[in-house]
Amino acid sequence: MGMNRGRRGASRHRPGKSNGQMDALRQKLIAHLHKKDADSMLELSKPTEETHFKALKNSHKGYQAMETTQVPPPLFPATLASFVLVFQTDEAWIKGEEPSFAKLNMQPLLDKMRSADMIVRQEEWGTDEDPEKRPCFALVSISEKRQKQVAEIMGEEDLIRLRMKAEDDEEDVVKGGGAWYPFKQHLAHLYEKSSEGTLFSSCQQCQIMEYMLNDGSEKAFGPQLMQKEACEPGNTPLQQLVKDERIIGYFYLHHEHKKEWLTQAWANTYVLRQPIEDIREYFGEEIGLYFAWCGYLLKMLWVPAFVGIFVYICQFIAFGESGSVDNPFIPLYSIFMCLWCIYLKAGWEQLELTLQYEWGINEWEPEESDRTEFVQNPKTYKRLNPINQSEEYYPDPLWRYISLLAGLVVVMLLIVLNIFAILSIEAGKAQLADLLGVGHGSGMSFLPKILGALVQGGLILVSRWAADIIFRYLNDFENWKTEEEYGNAFIAKRFCFGFINSYFAIYFVALMANGIKVFGVDVSCSERKCIDYAELVCAVVFLQNVIFRYFLAVVWPKIEAWRNSAEIEKHADEEEEKITDLQRTVEGQHILHEFEDLDELYTEKIIELGYVMLFGAVFPLIALIALISNLFDLRGHAHSILTTCKRPMYKCAKDIGTWKTILDIFSIMSILTHCCFFAFTSNSLYYYFPNMTELDRAFYAVACEHILLFIKAMWGGECEDPPDSVQEAFEKRQYELEKLLTEHDNFNPEEEVLFYTSDDGNVNIGGGRNSKGKDKQT
């Protein structure tokens, strides 16, 4: 009877099939699989000359993980990215005693992650008896199958997009030639693999894990580390765990092979072009866009740098002949700089649109969510939205008006104090010249000029640092609702103060010093010619700014990297046998600081660019110095983001935001400044108009300014469409995508899988992805 029950049980799985029939079906299936393997091996055994040629042809496009010359083929678990959770240990844990409250806190979280089909590896660090210096790391990964499941859910929310495969006329795969489309599991074979050799890049894998850990959707079946109802308003589960001190922190672990490649091909070279596509893939669109802007600025500075060298040589010759740097090329170079500023903004808008279409974010719109600090602020209240009848947060209206008024008063007060300090330095320079025995009428001595400019440069740096601290407090006090509002308010304060703080000293010497008494002291230039002194002040102030930025961007990161490396080696030497390479890697990234806000980097770049745009004709070598500075600065920031700070969390951005508006303001101010400079500060117009009067000066300045503003309005207006070639390529990709989706969106198991069970219970061999999909029923 037991045997009969066994036969009946077997027959339920194989209805109507004898043992001989099943053996025949099994043999067919094995033969089918062996044929596919033989075909694959045949493809791999083809002559490699063509493959090598294609690799050489596409070598400029960046990192390719499958090229054996760069890294070995990815194997488990190297194919899986890691999201690291950092836990605190305690004395009981270290001594192996029970109970350990730190371990009791950690274990349920690890169990929840494992129950959500997440791979968790636990790594302890070092042998130090101090729990503060001995954290425990949980390295979280998810299998590719799990990645696909969650990615499809995220694709429905437009959170993850992958590029489709594309082929040229010769049916060769074109890397980066396909359209972007939200991930769908049944289309997985149609997506292009990342440059790391996996379907999802390490950045996307970490993004998926962050989504799961923060319970982005119930459909993802995440671990639910904390109930959302238990989180404070505005906090994600991970943020709440940090606030409750259940974890110390969390971060993305670097992909070691890709990081090493980026270090060699990007951070450590000054010859190769930036691999922007690889940077975008590894860090996200926001950081990719920043480095694209840096590269664009570097390319644009070459032209004014070389032209400026020629103008500076002319100044040198003029100084030897007449004792002044004034020369006939100053008006021409001023007009050239104005046109360059107009083109700089217009060219960037074209490149920005090109990148949007290439990265598939041209139609992406950021989802505005309330800031955590705003939601938790005591001056924030709830109300019912009259349109959709949902609850929403809003700031106290009276408090908002008071805080905005207070912020305006503080910014204006800082500007007034800054102007007062700059004027005091100018008066001090004149008095120092009198003490040295040379009055302003015969020209101030060389020493007071240099000392005064150095003091002004130092004041600019100190004032900028102090103002940033005050503006942070003001922004928090104003209680802005979204991150965009918060960032725009901070940028507005920085720009208003920074414009006066950074440039007023040069404006005063170049355009206002003559005929003015400051605190009763005459600060006029010798023979009312301020062009030489203006160039000196501009050179000293700008060089101080460049040296300070070089120290922060290049020297300081190297010092930090050396200190971090020394600390790791010190811990590792204590008990070398117990320290694995993985532990060394994780601890090395844990002790690094967070990546600084991109607004900080943009501010530094734009302020330095402002000197070039506003005073390019005042000091013609300023563009050359800015070019050299940006060359080192770019690689310094690349080295910093790869080695001296934690890997940044993924963020998407489609443009540089408010900074485009500031570039527009700078281009307008450049026209006004240069026209006033060559008409009133310089006497170079007399080379062209010897009988010119003061009224003629004003006429030429206004006429030139109107013409340049007209050119800017016609040429440098807001650009809404990408170049024609980009638009055409985008439309072609979209057409190919629609055609591809029409062919594959209707999923048919008879064509897509190797075998399947039909509704009547029969086992059938499917067509597979490389066959016609004929039904082979046995």
Side-chain angles (χ1 to χ4, degrees):
M1 291 181 66
M3 291 177 62
N4 290 336
R5 281 196 298 269
R7 290 194 187 97
R8 284 197 296 270
S11 67
R12 282 196 295 268
H13 295 284
R14 300 177 298 208
K17 305 290 182 186
S18 66
N19 288 339
Q21 287 176 319
M22 289 307 299
D23 289 340
L25 176 62
R26 190 180 297 110
Q27 292 298 327
K28 281 188 176 183
L29 183 57
I30 292 172
H32 184 73
L33 292 173
H34 284 178
K35 183 178 183 301
K36 289 177 66 67
D37 291 341
D39 291 341
S40 300
M41 293 300 295
L42 185 61
E43 288 293 326
L44 292 174
S45 64
K46 287 181 179 179
T48 58
E49 182 179 354
E50 183 181 358
T51 306
H52 289 167
F53 173 74
K54 291 176 183 176
L56 182 64
K57 182 175 68 175
N58 297 324
S59 61
H60 68 283
K61 294 184 178 179
Y63 173 96
Q64 295 299 313
M66 297 307 293
E67 293 179 17
T68 56
T69 56
Q70 294 181 350
V71 296
L75 301 173
F76 181 85
T79 56
L80 302 182
S82 295
F83 189 99
V84 182
L85 299 180
V86 187
F87 294 88
Q88 183 65 62
T89 59
D90 57 15
E91 292 185 6
W93 187 340
I94 293 174
K95 295 178 180 179
E97 300 173 354
E98 296 293 342
S100 167
F101 293 104
K103 189 172 290 187
L104 291 174
N105 162 66
M106 181 187 72
Q107 198 58 48
L109 299 179
L110 301 188
D111 292 341
K112 286 182 178 181
M113 288 187 284
R114 290 187 176 111
S115 66
D117 202 12
M118 305 182 85
I119 304 168
V120 183
R121 291 169 288 165
Q122 184 179 334
E123 295 287 345
E124 296 183 32
W125 168 254
T127 58
D128 203 300
E129 295 296 328
D130 185 1
E132 296 290 335
K133 299 179 181 179
R134 191 174 173 180
C136 180
F137 305 102
L139 279 67
V140 185
S141 304
I142 52 176
S143 65
E144 184 171 330
K145 176 183 176 181
R146 194 75 168 98
Q147 293 170 24
K148 292 176 180 178
Q149 294 171 351
V150 182
E152 184 163 12
I153 298 169
M154 296 176 68
E156 294 172 0
E157 303 175 25
D158 204 20
L159 296 177
I160 277 193
R161 288 189 169 206
L162 272 67
R163 194 190 290 273
M164 309 298 286
K165 292 179 181 177
E167 296 180 348
D168 58 17
D169 296 336
E170 300 176 359
E171 297 186 353
D172 295 329
V173 175
V174 179
K175 183 69 176 175
W180 293 86
Y181 191 68
F183 181 78
K184 294 183 182 296
Q185 291 193 67
H186 69 278
L187 300 176
H189 61 289
L190 299 176
Y191 292 103
E192 183 178 282
K193 285 190 175 182
S194 70
S195 64
E196 297 164 10
T198 54
L199 181 60
F200 299 99
S201 68
S202 58
C203 181
Q204 289 173 326
Q205 292 182 43
C206 289
Q207 186 186 355
I208 292 170
M209 287 184 280
E210 186 180 5
Y211 182 84
M212 292 180 65
L213 294 172
N214 280 324
D215 291 332
S217 172
E218 293 182 356
K219 293 188 292 184
F221 295 104
Q224 292 189 342
L225 301 178
M226 286 196 70
Q227 294 292 332
K228 288 188 176 180
E229 294 77 10
C231 298
E232 296 180 8
N235 278 352
T236 63
L238 286 175
Q239 291 171 338
Q240 190 64 42
L241 288 172
V242 173
K243 187 168 185 179
D244 294 344
E245 298 183 354
R246 297 190 64 185
I247 63 175
I248 301 174
Y250 53 91
F251 58 92
Y252 293 180
L253 192 68
H254 274 289
H255 185 286
E256 285 304 309
H257 292 317
K258 187 64 177 284
K259 175 187 171 185
E260 182 182 353
W261 184 87
L262 284 171
T263 302
Q264 297 300 323
W266 178 38
N268 290 346
T269 178
Y270 292 88
V271 179
L272 302 177
R273 296 177 61 183
Q274 288 193 100
I276 291 296
E277 180 61 28
D278 294 274
I279 298 169
R280 178 209 62 79
E281 181 186 82
Y282 192 67
F283 293 111
E285 287 80 8
E286 185 181 51
I287 291 177
L289 203 61
Y290 168 74
F291 283 103
W293 156 252
C294 293
Y296 171 77
L297 179 59
L298 193 63
K299 181 179 71 174
M300 289 295 296
L301 283 169
W302 282 100
V303 177
F306 280 110
V307 178
I309 292 173
F310 170 77
V311 176
Y312 189 77
I313 292 173
C314 295
Q315 283 189 344
F316 188 78
I317 296 173
F319 185 80
E321 294 178 353
S322 63
S324 174
V325 297
D326 220 348
N327 67 87
F329 293 99
I330 286 180
L332 301 179
Y333 189 57
S334 298
I335 295 172
F336 165 78
M337 286 302 300
C338 293
L339 295 174
W340 178 81
C341 292
I342 295 170
Y343 181 76
L344 175 74
K345 177 179 177 291
W348 168 249
E349 288 183 339
Q350 288 283 301
L351 177 58
E352 195 176 62
L353 285 169
T354 299
L355 293 176
Q356 289 176 12
Y357 278 77
E358 288 294 327
W359 294 348
I361 55 175
N362 53 303
E363 296 180 356
W364 175 83
E365 292 297 334
E367 182 180 348
E368 289 294 337
S369 57
D370 296 341
R371 295 172 57 244
T372 302
E373 296 81 1
F374 170 77
V375 172
Q376 298 177 0
N377 194 294
K379 297 297 181 181
T380 299
Y381 308 117
K382 275 186 178 181
R383 67 183 175 190
L384 200 63
N385 189 302
I387 299 175
N388 54 21
Q389 298 300 308
S390 62
E391 285 188 344
E392 66 177 8
Y393 291 95
Y394 73 99
D396 185 328
L398 179 60
W399 184 260
R400 170 57 58 85
Y401 293 138
I402 293 174
S403 62
L404 289 178
L405 181 61
L408 179 62
V409 170
V410 171
V411 172
M412 294 301 297
L413 180 62
L414 289 176
I415 290 175
V416 171
L417 290 175
N418 190 260
I419 292 175
F420 178 83
I422 292 172
L423 294 178
S424 299
I425 294 173
E426 286 296 329
K429 285 190 289 186
Q431 290 177 334
L432 180 60
D434 290 337
L435 289 176
L436 294 176
V438 285
H440 67 272
S442 58
M444 287 190 289
S445 68
F446 181 76
L447 180 60
K449 291 180 180 180
I450 293 294
L451 289 177
L454 288 172
V455 172
Q456 284 174 333
L459 174 67
I460 289 171
L461 297 176
V462 172
S463 300
R464 187 185 303 163
W465 168 78
D468 280 352
I469 297 176
I470 295 173
F471 294 157
R472 286 290 181 192
Y473 280 111
L474 282 177
N475 250 30
D476 295 336
F477 182 69
E478 290 164 356
N479 193 26
W480 294 101
K481 184 178 177 70
T482 65
E483 289 292 345
E484 184 179 2
E485 291 177 352
Y486 183 90
N488 290 343
F490 189 64
I491 291 171
K493 294 182 182 70
R494 264 183 165 176
F495 174 70
C496 292
F497 176 79
F499 191 91
I500 299 298
N501 179 56
S502 301
Y503 312 128
F504 180 75
I506 305 173
Y507 270 118
F508 180 81
V509 173
L511 302 175
M512 295 180 282
N514 285 328
I516 293 181
K517 288 188 175 183
V518 177
F519 308 126
V521 179
D522 189 357
V523 294
S524 300
C525 300
S526 175
E527 299 179 4
R528 304 180 68 83
K529 295 179 180 179
C530 290
I531 186 171
D532 301 326
Y533 183 40
E535 182 170 353
L536 176 64
V537 172
C538 183
V540 173
V541 168
F542 183 69
L543 282 171
Q544 273 187 282
N545 182 76
V546 166
I547 293 171
F548 181 71
R549 288 192 63 243
Y550 177 80
F551 176 80
L552 292 181
V554 179
V555 178
W556 184 250
K558 290 184 177 180
I559 295 175
E560 281 195 325
W562 174 79
R563 288 172 55 191
N564 294 333
S565 176
E567 185 174 347
I568 295 296
E569 292 300 326
K570 179 182 176 182
H571 286 154
D573 291 340
E574 292 176 357
E575 195 166 341
E576 188 172 355
E577 294 181 358
K578 294 187 178 181
I579 305 300
T580 66
D581 291 338
L582 180 60
Q583 289 174 330
R584 196 185 302 263
T585 299
V586 177
E587 172 65 13
Q589 296 181 33
H590 165 60
I591 64 176
L592 301 177
H593 62 79
E594 299 289 341
F595 178 68
E596 63 180 313
D597 188 4
L598 275 181
D599 282 340
E600 299 280 347
L601 301 181
Y602 274 117
T603 300
E604 296 170 0
K605 286 283 183 185
I606 297 296
I607 286 177
E608 184 177 283
L609 178 61
Y611 283 103
V612 180
M613 297 177 73
L614 298 173
F615 309 115
V618 177
F619 178 42
L621 287 183
I622 199 170
L624 177 63
I625 297 173
L627 173 65
I628 298 172
S629 169
N630 277 274
L631 183 63
F632 286 99
D633 189 56
L634 188 152
R635 305 302 174 180
H637 284 151
H639 191 271
S640 176
I641 198 173
L642 286 169
T643 60
T644 64
C645 63
K646 290 186 177 72
R647 184 175 178 178
M649 297 286 190
Y650 171 82
K651 285 185 180 179
C652 185
K654 66 186 299 184
D655 54 40
I656 62 174
T658 309
W659 297 110
K660 278 199 301 185
T661 305
I662 292 177
L663 281 178
D664 201 40
I665 295 173
F666 270 135
S667 64
I668 295 173
M669 290 302 300
S670 173
I671 293 172
L672 300 177
T673 302
H674 281 98
C675 289
C676 291
F677 175 73
F678 75 72
F680 301 113
T681 305
S682 169
N683 292 321
S684 53
L685 284 179
Y686 282 106
Y687 288 102
Y688 303 97
F689 310 103
N691 300 320
M692 179 180 62
T693 64
E694 291 298 320
L695 183 61
D696 292 336
R697 275 189 172 193
F699 171 79
Y700 293 139
V702 172
C704 186
E705 171 257 332
H706 275 62
I707 293 172
L708 289 171
L709 287 177
F710 176 77
I711 293 174
K712 182 190 180 306
M714 299 299 295
W715 185 22
E718 189 72 22
C719 183
E720 298 180 356
D721 298 318
D724 293 340
S725 58
V726 174
Q727 181 71 38
E728 183 180 344
F730 174 77
E731 291 175 355
K732 181 179 179 181
R733 288 197 297 267
Q734 293 303 115
Y735 170 76
E736 295 292 338
L737 174 63
E738 292 177 5
K739 189 168 69 172
L740 195 66
L741 294 178
T742 303
E743 297 174 358
H744 293 86
D745 247 357
N746 296 322
F747 179 68
N748 186 354
E750 296 181 13
E751 298 180 359
E752 296 294 331
V753 298
L754 294 176
F755 64 92
Y756 64 97
T757 303
S758 60
D759 294 338
D760 57 4
N762 293 325
V763 178
N764 303 287
I765 298 177
R769 287 171 181 160
N770 298 321
S771 66
K772 299 293 184 180
K774 294 181 180 179
D775 184 32
K776 300 177 182 179
Q777 191 179 79
T778 308

